[in-house]
Amino acid sequence: MALITSETKGVFVIACTPFTDNGALDTASVDSMVDFYYEKGADGLTILGMMGEAPKLTQAESIEVTKLTLTRSGDKPVVVGVSAPGLAAIGELTKAVMDLGAAGVMVAPPSSLRTDDQIIAYYRNVVETVGKDVPVVLQDFPLVTGVQISTKVLGTIFEEHPSIVMLKHEDWPGLQKISDLRDAEAKGRRRTSILCGNAGAFITEEMQRGADGAMTGFAYPEMMVDVVRLSGEGKFDEAQDIFDAYLPLVRYEQQPGLGLAVRKYVLAKRGAIASAAQRRPGAALNALAIKEVEKLIARQTAKLEALN
Amino acid sequence: MALITSETKGVFVIACTPFTDNGALDTASVDSMVDFYYEKGADGLTILGMMGEAPKLTQAESIEVTKLTLTRSGDKPVVVGVSAPGLAAIGELTKAVMDLGAAGVMVAPPSSLRTDDQIIAYYRNVVETVGKDVPVVLQDFPLVTGVQISTKVLGTIFEEHPSIVMLKHEDWPGLQKISDLRDAEAKGRRRTSILCGNAGAFITEEMQRGADGAMTGFAYPEMMVDVVRLSGEGKFDEAQDIFDAYLPLVRYEQQPGLGLAVRKYVLAKRGAIASAAQRRPGAALNALAIKEVEKLIARQTAKLEALN
Amino acid sequence: MALITSETKGVFVIACTPFTDNGALDTASVDSMVDFYYEKGADGLTILGMMGEAPKLTQAESIEVTKLTLTRSGDKPVVVGVSAPGLAAIGELTKAVMDLGAAGVMVAPPSSLRTDDQIIAYYRNVVETVGKDVPVVLQDFPLVTGVQISTKVLGTIFEEHPSIVMLKHEDWPGLQKISDLRDAEAKGRRRTSILCGNAGAFITEEMQRGADGAMTGFAYPEMMVDVVRLSGEGKFDEAQDIFDAYLPLVRYEQQPGLGLAVRKYVLAKRGAIASAAQRRPGAALNALAIKEVEKLIARQTAKLEALN
Amino acid sequence: MALITSETKGVFVIACTPFTDNGALDTASVDSMVDFYYEKGADGLTILGMMGEAPKLTQAESIEVTKLTLTRSGDKPVVVGVSAPGLAAIGELTKAVMDLGAAGVMVAPPSSLRTDDQIIAYYRNVVETVGKDVPVVLQDFPLVTGVQISTKVLGTIFEEHPSIVMLKHEDWPGLQKISDLRDAEAKGRRRTSILCGNAGAFITEEMQRGADGAMTGFAYPEMMVDVVRLSGEGKFDEAQDIFDAYLPLVRYEQQPGLGLAVRKYVLAKRGAIASAAQRRPGAALNALAIKEVEKLIARQTAKLEALN
């Protein structure tokens, strides 16, 4: 299977991990979900990320989910999240998933990191641990990790490690970071792929700032697919029209601590997975929240129809 | 001047503090800004909040801003943020602003608080410090303070202190918190006013959950005013239509670390204040960001016109 | 092998994990280290704790260390640290080590927990995950976890879960917590074993407050053994004399981020392990620090001789 | 009054703020406490620090405490803590206390700082705010502030701002930081005074690493005075003997959240202040803790007598 590179573009959907109502891994839904994502236009997937309930899986289950997803994805690239408190676990899971055919691994910084030098040293250790031939996605998500990585530090890391080929960008605010990274490349630094997260809430501006696409899990991947495609064609106003139609739900899904419940509810409703259940501990939408989501979906559908 | 009570409803705009380009307090702009907010339909104001650059003011300046705002506000209620690392400063500023005619004070928990008992003890100390006759707004904003206050703890605090008459609600996610607080009141707990923050990003759902209004600083206060009014009339779909038109800018303004720059830029553009300058240290919008904001405003204007 | 219970007393040494200079697991040193600890009077061991470099081990290595330690420990009880970001990993490792004969497992709260209810719910999930028949040690170490558990919350957890039989106490300050827990037991709450950590720096006061012993890794376990024994005999002054002789080194070893390097240096010097090496990333003592440690050891030896 | 400089050496005691039992400022005890500190050999004082309950004082009280302390100190240098959430308050208090004759001001970084550049920018703003003629002490206390300042960042700050003449060193571990800073000076960087905190718990090693003295509030300042003097004379073993005698109490006093109560208890017992009361909110020692402290003092007295 092809590896991700510093030229990778498009939409990598952050996949959820489907469970049955009693909390068992729902392998049939892995297949249907993978199919769903590609039918909606995804260029690739990212599994075992923060929204994938990865810490709730045993190591054996993590491998099984990877196998199932890779098999069903055919030659589409699949990135695997391998963040862990220790390098040994990162190295162990990386070896396993790369052997299975993953396109690369994604690593977020542990929340204990503080100084610039600590962050730089951490990614040096990561690259030494996984090996220089494994493509790495650096996940920059300070809202969750608590680790703030300045543009300068990102530059130092990118220059030192050619195998870190992609930035999963979800700093907040972070639009200027994209511009600054692209400016540095214009002045000679090697290129890095930038795919953006943050539930897609800034994807229109991000694309105009020079991002290569999206890596996020909004339950209507066609939004990201359309915005990325239209932005690539320079049709920024049309992209914004489509984005605006989805934005009320994007916003609702972006709530920390509730987002995954919304996402799984919508995916189940759309037939991508059989059950919206999260493995314990996990929130479920109550009746009031479901009513709010349904209203947002109904309005979204009407707006999209009005656009066509 | 009237004090806020547990029955207070409507839109309290979180006011910014206007400075000249060289960082001096712009007293003329305080007047024009206050006029602007009330012209747009504000029911009251909240000053010296987190978005008011309060920590950048000397004590004398804080008093001056309060005086100017109160004078210009006439009989409209003005809440003053008095959060500080120590109780003495809270007590000192509270006495000063209540003597000047403030309608109440707002206190966020210091970020050192952790356990439920610490939070409960803190507000006990606050009430003892400011006096039981001073109406207090409890600001519940974990994204910034790092302090998570459960619904149960809020209930304990409300029951113990009748002078805490209002919750500035900006937990995230927090919709269910509103429902739970209202449920407890339906079962007999005394009523508390709930005004919502979070840049207004959830104001439609919040109103349907039982909020009394908004307390936030989005630079188009007429959005909150219209949504609150229409919600009060049960016209939730119309409220949502208006909200949706503003949402792309609400979203852009909600970026931590950049939001105030956006807000001041828009307020200056709308003539409410003379300069968008923040006192040092503070970010200013660069050309790229201004272009993004202007595009959002142009689209917003078109959408609002289409609604009428 | 016997399980730990709420009556367990004595000294459980927090064991390090021995590596060779090139970072491989040093299985021979596991044996010699285990022998060393028991020769010095340890009643049991705790492995794979924070000081055991557990996150640097692969799952297979964690199992191997457990097997080796259990085999060498004979019928002495060995507690295994199983803290992990997710319940699945906790359950998986717990099942493995209990099947091998561990005496119980130790679980620290994840640093994301904030409210009292979140902490209570977490340990409910832990007990459901590992099963009610597995003895659990609750590790209360806010300096490292950032989670503050009040005495009241500890009481709620203890009352709800009889299988949580032991508190590894290293709150700071925490002496009063011991007294308060014992007071609650005097008034009827079921007994919980309390073994104290914090590098042994408060072991004299802790024993007088009602602790059952120590669970910490100071490289001279005979200090804890002697203090616990003498305290049990009511010879508090003699206990304090011995403690005072070791205190300068205890203090030096207590430095966060450096403590393990000191500990492994001393253990290697004493012949317990072959190499002081830590697996990457890990600090090593430089020449200046070694000189300081050697001076402290020399003075300690002289003081102990003067006591005899 | 003389200003502190990059050559300043000796012991600056962190002074507490004396209150009467009902929480009023105890001005008579300010005088007796100041006298006490100098009688015990202090070279200077630091007031309104973290242990000085500064956040509990009104601005007027802060000025009064400064005036009283400066008057009573005669020509001894007094550093004033001016840390605050905002630059305006820092500038306001700095101007006031420097006009009154303070020897310099001390500023800790606000806990919101994360990246190296943010820390560097912060001290640039501080120096611009207070003026380049005001000597500044940079307080490096990550255990409390949460801000980790690398040795490299300290170097950048020192090189940029000659008016930052002193480091209050209480990183943990931090011995190597002292060595590294001195090494950089040996290679040409301008000298900075280094006074050490951390309750004096590492003062012996710190002096041998090149520190200029202590800035901490242990209630037996003669310990720091003796250790600093003897270290200056190269009598490191004698210094260590004295240190060891005090260490059990140093350790007890170092407990976060309890230390100030211990310190005030001892100061009151020694006649330096009239009451051990802290202003609300503040812990007081209960009977059990008092018994522990008294025992430690009795043993300390006996050990010191044995040394003479």
Side-chain angles (χ1 to χ4, degrees):
Chain A
M1 180 184 289
L3 301 177
I4 53 167
T5 72
S6 59
E7 302 292 335
T8 297
K9 297 180 195 302
V11 175
F12 280 60
V13 180
I14 301 276
C16 73
T17 303
F19 297 105
T20 64
D21 285 345
N22 62 19
L25 194 62
D26 179 357
T27 56
S29 282
V30 173
D31 284 352
S32 59
M33 177 189 69
V34 169
D35 293 348
F36 170 85
Y37 285 143
Y38 292 124
E39 282 161 17
K40 299 304 178 190
D43 298 290
L45 299 180
T46 300
I47 60 174
L48 305 185
M50 292 178 185
M51 295 300 276
E53 300 178 72
K56 300 178 191 168
L57 301 180
T58 64
Q59 203 176 55
E61 289 173 329
S62 297
I63 301 293
E64 186 181 2
V65 167
T66 304
K67 266 189 201 163
L68 289 167
T69 306
L70 285 167
T71 302
R72 197 73 175 190
S73 291
D75 55 3
K76 297 270 194 184
V78 176
V79 172
V80 182
V82 297
S83 301
L87 293 167
I90 290 175
E92 198 173 20
L93 187 54
T94 296
K95 174 149 189 12
V97 302
M98 294 308 296
D99 285 351
L100 289 171
V105 296
M106 181 163 70
V107 183
S111 58
S112 56
L113 300 183
R114 280 293 169 271
T115 70
D116 288 5
D117 285 346
Q118 287 170 349
I119 298 167
I120 291 167
Y122 182 73
Y123 280 98
R124 190 175 301 135
N125 280 326
V126 166
V127 169
E128 285 181 29
T129 299
V130 303
K132 289 171 192 291
D133 53 331
V134 173
V136 172
V137 182
L138 187 161
Q139 184 174 19
D140 182 19
F141 196 7
L143 187 69
V144 165
T145 62
V147 180
Q148 291 185 24
I149 313 180
S150 71
T151 304
K152 193 171 69 176
V153 168
L154 282 178
T156 302
I157 293 171
F158 292 158
E159 281 168 9
E160 193 176 340
H161 307 293
S163 63
I164 301 185
V165 297
M166 185 185 288
L167 176 70
K168 179 175 197 304
H169 169 279
E170 38 197 337
D171 197 354
W172 204 33
L175 296 175
Q176 193 55 40
K177 208 174 209 175
I178 300 174
S179 300
D180 291 342
L181 289 171
R182 289 307 186 214
D183 283 352
E185 293 174 0
K187 287 173 188 154
R189 190 195 297 150
R190 73 171 181 86
R191 191 182 200 286
T192 309
S193 173
I194 301 176
L195 299 190
C196 296
N198 266 327
F202 295 94
I203 182 66
T204 44
E205 285 91 354
E206 288 159 348
M207 290 308 295
Q208 295 191 60
R209 296 278 193 150
D212 294 305
M215 185 182 276
T216 191
F218 181 54
Y220 288 84
E222 50 267 55
M223 182 277 275
M224 287 90 80
V225 169
D226 287 348
V227 169
V228 169
R229 178 180 47 79
L230 289 166
S231 298
E233 299 168 0
K235 298 175 180 171
F236 296 117
D237 279 335
E238 286 179 52
Q240 188 82 35
D241 287 340
I242 288 176
F243 173 80
D244 286 359
Y246 287 101
L247 182 56
L249 185 61
V250 167
R251 164 203 65 115
Y252 196 94
E253 199 186 278
Q254 201 185 5
Q255 297 174 79
L258 192 67
L260 180 59
V262 178
R263 193 166 290 180
K264 283 197 150 183
Y265 174 83
V266 176
L267 288 174
K269 176 188 169 76
R270 301 190 79 190
I273 58 179
S275 163
Q278 293 178 50
R279 193 170 263 189
R280 188 191 54 186
L285 296 190
N286 65 12
L288 273 173
I290 287 174
K291 196 178 147 199
E292 289 165 346
V293 171
E294 289 289 353
K295 179 178 170 182
L296 292 170
I297 291 175
R299 289 178 56 92
Q300 174 179 294
T301 304
K303 285 189 189 183
L304 288 167
E305 282 168 3
L307 282 181
N308 295 327
Chain B
M1 180 185 290
L3 300 177
I4 54 167
T5 74
S6 59
E7 302 292 335
T8 296
K9 296 179 195 304
V11 175
F12 279 61
V13 181
I14 300 277
C16 72
T17 303
F19 296 105
T20 64
D21 284 344
N22 61 20
L25 195 62
D26 179 358
T27 57
S29 282
V30 173
D31 283 353
S32 58
M33 178 188 68
V34 170
D35 292 348
F36 169 85
Y37 286 143
Y38 291 124
E39 282 161 18
K40 300 304 178 190
D43 298 290
L45 299 181
T46 300
I47 60 173
L48 305 185
M50 291 177 184
M51 294 301 275
E53 299 177 75
K56 299 179 192 166
L57 301 180
T58 64
Q59 202 177 54
E61 288 173 329
S62 297
I63 301 294
E64 187 180 1
V65 167
T66 305
K67 267 188 200 163
L68 289 167
T69 307
L70 286 166
T71 302
R72 196 74 177 190
S73 291
D75 56 2
K76 298 272 194 184
V78 177
V79 172
V80 182
V82 298
S83 301
L87 293 168
I90 290 174
E92 198 172 23
L93 187 55
T94 296
K95 177 153 186 5
V97 302
M98 294 308 294
D99 285 351
L100 289 171
V105 296
M106 181 163 72
V107 183
S111 59
S112 55
L113 300 182
R114 282 291 170 273
T115 70
D116 288 5
D117 286 346
Q118 288 170 350
I119 297 166
I120 291 166
Y122 182 74
Y123 280 99
R124 189 175 301 133
N125 279 326
V126 166
V127 169
E128 285 181 29
T129 298
V130 303
K132 290 172 192 291
D133 52 332
V134 172
V136 172
V137 182
L138 188 161
Q139 183 173 18
D140 182 18
F141 196 7
L143 186 69
V144 165
T145 63
V147 180
Q148 292 185 25
I149 314 180
S150 72
T151 304
K152 192 171 71 176
V153 168
L154 282 178
T156 302
I157 293 171
F158 292 157
E159 282 167 8
E160 191 176 340
H161 307 292
S163 63
I164 301 185
V165 297
M166 185 185 287
L167 175 70
K168 179 175 197 303
H169 168 279
E170 38 198 338
D171 197 353
W172 204 34
L175 296 174
Q176 193 54 39
K177 207 173 209 177
I178 300 173
S179 300
D180 292 342
L181 290 170
R182 290 308 187 214
D183 283 352
E185 293 175 1
K187 287 171 190 157
R189 188 195 297 152
R190 74 170 181 86
R191 189 183 201 285
T192 309
S193 172
I194 301 177
L195 299 190
C196 295
N198 265 329
F202 295 93
I203 182 66
T204 45
E205 285 90 356
E206 288 160 346
M207 289 308 295
Q208 294 192 61
R209 296 277 193 150
D212 294 304
M215 185 181 276
T216 191
F218 181 54
Y220 287 84
E222 50 266 55
M223 182 278 273
M224 287 89 80
V225 170
D226 287 348
V227 170
V228 169
R229 179 181 47 79
L230 289 166
S231 298
E233 299 168 0
K235 298 176 179 169
F236 296 117
D237 280 336
E238 286 179 51
Q240 188 81 36
D241 288 339
I242 288 176
F243 173 80
D244 286 359
Y246 288 101
L247 181 57
L249 185 60
V250 166
R251 163 203 66 116
Y252 197 93
E253 199 187 278
Q254 201 184 6
Q255 298 175 77
L258 193 66
L260 180 57
V262 178
R263 193 166 289 179
K264 283 198 148 183
Y265 174 83
V266 176
L267 288 174
K269 175 186 170 76
R270 300 188 80 191
I273 57 177
S275 164
Q278 292 178 51
R279 195 172 261 189
R280 189 190 54 185
L285 296 190
N286 65 13
L288 274 173
I290 287 174
K291 195 179 150 200
E292 289 165 345
V293 171
E294 289 289 353
K295 179 178 172 185
L296 293 170
I297 292 175
R299 289 178 57 93
Q300 174 179 294
T301 305
K303 286 189 188 181
L304 289 168
E305 281 168 4
L307 283 181
N308 294 327
Chain C
M1 180 183 292
L3 301 177
I4 54 168
T5 73
S6 58
E7 302 292 335
T8 296
K9 296 181 195 305
V11 175
F12 279 60
V13 181
I14 301 277
C16 72
T17 303
F19 297 104
T20 64
D21 285 344
N22 63 19
L25 195 61
D26 178 358
T27 56
S29 282
V30 173
D31 284 352
S32 59
M33 178 188 67
V34 169
D35 293 348
F36 170 85
Y37 286 142
Y38 292 124
E39 281 161 18
K40 299 303 178 191
D43 298 290
L45 298 181
T46 301
I47 61 173
L48 305 184
M50 292 178 185
M51 294 301 276
E53 300 177 74
K56 300 179 192 167
L57 301 180
T58 64
Q59 203 176 55
E61 288 174 329
S62 296
I63 301 294
E64 187 181 2
V65 167
T66 305
K67 266 189 201 165
L68 289 168
T69 306
L70 285 166
T71 303
R72 196 75 176 187
S73 291
D75 56 2
K76 298 272 194 184
V78 176
V79 172
V80 182
V82 298
S83 302
L87 293 167
I90 290 174
E92 198 172 23
L93 187 54
T94 296
K95 178 156 187 359
V97 302
M98 293 308 294
D99 286 350
L100 289 172
V105 297
M106 181 164 71
V107 183
S111 58
S112 56
L113 301 182
R114 281 290 169 273
T115 70
D116 288 3
D117 286 347
Q118 288 170 351
I119 297 167
I120 291 166
Y122 182 74
Y123 279 98
R124 189 176 300 134
N125 280 326
V126 166
V127 170
E128 285 181 28
T129 299
V130 302
K132 290 171 193 291
D133 53 331
V134 173
V136 172
V137 183
L138 187 161
Q139 183 175 17
D140 182 19
F141 196 7
L143 187 69
V144 165
T145 62
V147 180
Q148 291 185 25
I149 313 180
S150 72
T151 303
K152 193 171 70 176
V153 168
L154 282 178
T156 302
I157 293 171
F158 292 157
E159 281 167 9
E160 192 175 340
H161 307 292
S163 63
I164 300 185
V165 297
M166 184 184 290
L167 175 70
K168 179 175 197 304
H169 168 279
E170 37 198 337
D171 197 355
W172 203 36
L175 296 175
Q176 192 55 39
K177 207 173 210 176
I178 300 173
S179 300
D180 291 344
L181 289 170
R182 291 305 186 216
D183 283 353
E185 293 174 1
K187 288 172 187 154
R189 189 195 296 152
R190 73 170 181 86
R191 190 184 201 285
T192 310
S193 172
I194 301 177
L195 299 190
C196 295
N198 266 329
F202 295 93
I203 182 67
T204 45
E205 285 91 357
E206 288 159 348
M207 290 308 295
Q208 294 192 62
R209 296 277 193 151
D212 294 305
M215 185 182 276
T216 191
F218 181 54
Y220 287 85
E222 51 266 55
M223 183 278 276
M224 288 89 79
V225 170
D226 286 348
V227 169
V228 169
R229 179 180 47 79
L230 290 166
S231 298
E233 299 167 1
K235 299 177 180 169
F236 296 118
D237 280 333
E238 286 179 52
Q240 189 82 34
D241 288 339
I242 287 176
F243 173 80
D244 286 358
Y246 287 101
L247 180 56
L249 186 60
V250 167
R251 165 202 65 117
Y252 197 95
E253 198 187 279
Q254 202 185 4
Q255 299 175 78
L258 192 66
L260 179 59
V262 178
R263 193 166 289 180
K264 284 198 149 183
Y265 174 83
V266 176
L267 288 174
K269 176 187 170 73
R270 301 190 79 190
I273 58 179
S275 164
Q278 292 180 51
R279 195 170 262 189
R280 189 191 54 184
L285 296 190
N286 65 14
L288 273 173
I290 288 174
K291 197 178 147 199
E292 288 166 345
V293 171
E294 289 289 353
K295 179 178 171 184
L296 293 170
I297 292 175
R299 289 178 57 92
Q300 173 179 294
T301 305
K303 286 188 189 185
L304 289 167
E305 281 168 5
L307 283 180
N308 295 328
Chain D
M1 181 184 288
L3 301 176
I4 54 166
T5 72
S6 58
E7 302 292 334
T8 297
K9 296 181 195 302
V11 174
F12 280 59
V13 181
I14 301 277
C16 73
T17 303
F19 297 104
T20 65
D21 284 346
N22 62 19
L25 195 61
D26 179 357
T27 57
S29 281
V30 174
D31 283 352
S32 59
M33 177 188 70
V34 170
D35 292 348
F36 169 86
Y37 285 143
Y38 292 124
E39 281 160 19
K40 298 305 178 192
D43 298 291
L45 298 180
T46 300
I47 60 173
L48 305 184
M50 292 177 184
M51 295 300 275
E53 299 179 73
K56 300 178 191 167
L57 301 180
T58 64
Q59 203 176 55
E61 288 173 330
S62 296
I63 301 293
E64 187 181 0
V65 167
T66 304
K67 266 188 201 165
L68 289 167
T69 307
L70 285 166
T71 302
R72 197 73 176 187
S73 290
D75 56 2
K76 297 272 195 184
V78 176
V79 172
V80 182
V82 297
S83 301
L87 292 168
I90 290 175
E92 200 173 20
L93 187 54
T94 296
K95 178 156 186 3
V97 302
M98 293 308 295
D99 286 351
L100 289 171
V105 296
M106 182 163 72
V107 183
S111 59
S112 56
L113 301 183
R114 280 291 170 273
T115 69
D116 287 3
D117 286 346
Q118 288 170 350
I119 298 167
I120 291 167
Y122 182 73
Y123 279 98
R124 189 175 301 134
N125 279 326
V126 166
V127 169
E128 285 181 27
T129 300
V130 302
K132 289 172 193 290
D133 53 331
V134 173
V136 172
V137 182
L138 188 162
Q139 184 174 17
D140 182 20
F141 196 8
L143 187 69
V144 165
T145 62
V147 180
Q148 290 185 24
I149 313 181
S150 71
T151 304
K152 192 171 71 176
V153 168
L154 282 178
T156 301
I157 292 171
F158 291 157
E159 282 167 7
E160 193 175 340
H161 307 292
S163 64
I164 301 184
V165 297
M166 186 185 287
L167 176 70
K168 181 176 194 305
H169 168 278
E170 38 197 337
D171 198 353
W172 203 32
L175 295 175
Q176 193 55 39
K177 209 175 209 176
I178 300 174
S179 299
D180 291 343
L181 289 171
R182 290 306 186 215
D183 283 352
E185 293 174 359
K187 287 173 188 156
R189 190 196 296 150
R190 74 170 181 85
R191 191 183 199 285
T192 310
S193 172
I194 302 176
L195 299 191
C196 296
N198 266 328
F202 296 95
I203 182 66
T204 44
E205 285 90 355
E206 287 159 347
M207 290 307 296
Q208 295 192 61
R209 296 276 193 152
D212 294 305
M215 185 182 275
T216 191
F218 181 55
Y220 288 84
E222 50 267 55
M223 183 276 274
M224 287 91 79
V225 170
D226 287 347
V227 169
V228 169
R229 180 181 47 78
L230 289 166
S231 298
E233 299 168 359
K235 298 177 181 170
F236 297 117
D237 280 335
E238 287 179 51
Q240 189 81 36
D241 288 340
I242 288 177
F243 174 81
D244 285 359
Y246 287 101
L247 182 56
L249 185 59
V250 166
R251 162 203 68 116
Y252 197 94
E253 199 186 279
Q254 201 186 5
Q255 298 175 78
L258 193 66
L260 179 58
V262 179
R263 192 166 291 180
K264 282 196 151 185
Y265 174 82
V266 176
L267 288 174
K269 176 188 170 73
R270 301 190 78 190
I273 57 179
S275 163
Q278 291 178 51
R279 195 170 262 189
R280 189 190 55 188
L285 296 189
N286 64 13
L288 273 172
I290 288 173
K291 197 178 147 199
E292 289 166 346
V293 171
E294 289 289 352
K295 179 179 171 184
L296 292 170
I297 291 175
R299 290 178 56 93
Q300 174 179 295
T301 305
K303 286 190 188 182
L304 289 168
E305 281 167 4
L307 283 180
N308 294 327

